[in-house]
Amino acid sequence: MEYTSQSALHFPAAYAPISEDEMIYLDGGDAISPQQFTFNLVTNLIRLMGQAAFSGALNGLSNMRNDGLTTGGAIAHYWNRQNTMGKVATVVFTGFAGYAVYIYCVSLVNNVLNLYTSAKNSITGTDQTTTDTTAAASSDPTTAATAALTAA
């Protein structure tokens, strides 16, 4: 049996038809090298394990503090109850936690610097794209040709 429609086809409100060329463009992109993939994977795993170790340590210390131990007493109690492998794992995960804190600090400093720079540029009215006169001159073909004739 053949289905024939007597009315127009209606698409959902969020539907946006695109051509095949646009689909190729949207699906494209650069392939990532195996080395870069491995580096990204290891870096993100270390960061995630560091975040977990850091939050676990803070929760454990706060629970021991709530039980009446001092901070030093809580750390000593935790350390003394570990076997050798537990102590090694604690040191490794403390390094991961330090790396995670380092990443957060670098990100925070970069964000503050970017906010400061953009606020300073908006107040002074300077635009970073026009501060380099050689780049601006080389992008304009008439200025580049004039400079080449003058130099010759």
Side-chain angles (χ1 to χ4, degrees):
M1 176 190 296
E2 183 178 331
Y3 177 75
T4 57
S5 176
Q6 301 297 327
S7 62
L9 184 61
H10 297 286
F11 292 107
Y15 180 78
I18 58 175
S19 68
E20 184 178 347
D21 293 336
E22 289 180 76
M23 186 62 104
I24 291 170
Y25 176 74
L26 292 174
D27 287 342
D30 295 331
I32 188 169
S33 68
Q35 293 86 6
Q36 186 64 42
F37 175 77
T38 305
F39 176 77
N40 291 346
L41 180 70
V42 169
T43 302
N44 289 329
L45 281 175
I46 289 173
R47 184 176 176 191
L48 287 174
M49 287 190 292
Q51 289 171 343
F54 189 73
S55 65
L58 286 180
N59 288 338
L61 284 176
S62 67
N63 286 340
M64 288 185 202
R65 292 274 304 167
N66 291 339
D67 289 340
L69 291 174
T70 62
T71 304
I75 293 171
H77 176 73
Y78 174 77
W79 186 258
N80 292 334
R81 295 190 43 98
Q82 295 286 324
N83 61 14
T84 305
M85 286 304 294
K87 290 179 181 180
V88 169
T90 300
V91 170
V92 169
F93 279 104
T94 301
F96 290 166
Y99 178 73
V101 169
Y102 167 75
I103 293 294
Y104 281 127
C105 290
V106 166
S107 176
L108 179 66
V109 167
N110 286 338
N111 287 337
V112 168
L113 288 176
N114 287 336
L115 285 172
Y116 170 75
T117 303
S118 68
K120 182 177 125 185
N121 289 341
S122 67
I123 290 171
T124 60
T126 59
D127 186 9
Q128 290 180 336
T129 58
T130 59
T131 56
D132 188 8
T133 56
T134 57
S138 66
S139 65
D140 185 16
T142 57
T143 308
T146 306
L149 288 175
T150 306

